[in-house]
Amino acid sequence: GQQVMQIPQYQHVQEGEDFTTYCNSSTTLSNIQWYKQRPGGHPVFLIQLVKSGEVKKQKRLTFQFGEAKKNSSLHITATQTTDVGTYFCDNNDMRFGAGTRLTVKP
Amino acid sequence: GAGVSQSPSNKVTEKGKDVELRCDPISGHTALYWYRQSLGQGLEFLIYFQGNSAPDKSGLPSDRFSAERTGGSVSTLTIQRTQQEDSAVYLCASSLVYIQGKGSTEAFFGQGTRLTVV
């Protein structure tokens, strides 16, 4: 299947700082999905990006899909403690990998 | 149903025993997925179903693991002769459509079954 690398694996920020996680694929993706899993919870769908260069916003979250449809990013502005969790991207085959674990210090 | 339902929510079993984990997907969802998640780790893909068929079983860790889906609905993940390394949370998800190579529509996850092998 398509190989996707998600970086970083861990990120610890001070509340109010920004946070970005990246998904990079070696091949062109049809689309990409992002999920969030809170500690002790189950993954929850955040968004799907389909078009080349697409940018979508959800409040403080900004999702981008690269022009070549080989990479994607999730950016959180002014993190809050409610943002804590692991963020996963899906590379079209529902295999998520390790994700990026975000911790936020109040 | 309203969401993906998994049972039991917790299971403690003795090493060597068999266990069955159940997943009730959202009604009408053709695709169903099983994952294993060890403490602090990512989602390990086990198997997916397209209707009642499992096109790709390569994620199953060993031949002690098997899964089936009947009636295009309920799925059961069976672990035979459980080992301590099988201890983990087993998550099930379903989605309306999955097309290999294209991806899935939004997937909904259940709360998981926490399996502890003692």
Side-chain angles (χ1 to χ4, degrees):
Chain A
Q2 297 164 328
Q3 297 297 313
V4 169
M5 179 74 72
Q6 191 170 353
I7 55 172
Q9 282 198 34
Y10 304 93
Q11 186 77 58
H12 178 72
V13 300
Q14 188 77 37
E15 189 172 21
E17 292 181 338
D18 293 355
F19 159 76
T20 305
T21 175
Y22 302 89
C23 274
N24 299 307
S25 172
S26 57
T27 58
T28 303
L29 302 171
S30 297
N31 60 78
I32 194 160
Q33 295 184 353
W34 286 91
Y35 290 76
K36 175 185 177 182
Q37 183 178 25
R38 293 179 184 242
H42 58 279
V44 174
F45 175 84
L46 292 177
I47 208 160
Q48 182 179 59
L49 305 174
V50 179
K51 299 178 183 177
S52 168
E54 189 170 15
V55 178
K56 287 187 176 180
K57 292 191 175 185
Q58 292 178 352
K59 297 182 180 179
R60 295 178 294 103
L61 277 61
T62 302
F63 303 84
Q64 291 189 328
F65 203 9
E67 293 290 341
K69 300 181 73 172
K70 287 186 176 182
N71 53 70
S72 180
S73 65
L74 158 58
H75 179 81
I76 302 178
T77 303
T79 54
Q80 300 176 358
T81 55
T82 53
D83 297 323
V84 165
T86 302
Y87 294 84
F88 296 97
C89 61
D90 157 49
N91 59 328
N92 299 170
D93 63 3
M94 293 301 287
R95 286 156 173 83
F96 295 89
T100 295
R101 186 184 302 175
L102 172 66
T103 55
V104 179
K105 184 176 182 181
Chain B
V4 177
S5 178
Q6 290 188 246
S7 60
S9 54
N10 281 284
K11 176 72 176 178
V12 180
T13 189
E14 291 181 350
K15 178 181 173 181
K17 300 275 188 173
D18 297 353
V19 294
E20 283 189 354
L21 312 181
R22 178 186 168 107
C23 174
D24 277 280
I26 292 173
S27 177
H29 280 196
T30 63
L32 185 147
Y33 318 85
W34 282 99
Y35 300 89
R36 179 168 71 174
Q37 189 172 40
S38 300
L39 189 63
Q41 302 300 308
L43 297 168
E44 179 187 2
F45 176 88
L46 298 179
I47 191 171
Y48 87 94
F49 289 89
Q50 193 72 275
N52 292 334
S53 300
D56 182 3
K57 299 180 181 180
S58 62
L60 294 174
S62 74
D63 58 9
R64 295 186 295 105
F65 288 71
S66 63
E68 66 174 12
R69 189 180 184 193
T70 56
S73 182
V74 173
S75 177
T76 303
L77 177 69
T78 301
I79 309 173
Q80 296 179 311
R81 304 180 302 282
T82 51
Q83 304 294 313
Q84 288 185 330
E85 61 262 29
D86 299 333
S87 296
V89 175
Y90 290 81
L91 288 161
C92 173
S94 71
S95 65
L96 195 59
V97 175
Y98 172 72
I99 301 174
Q100 194 158 6
K102 294 286 187 183
S104 169
T105 52
E106 176 182 355
F108 295 82
F109 283 78
Q111 299 286 348
T113 293
R114 182 176 299 278
L115 175 66
T116 304
V117 182
V118 296

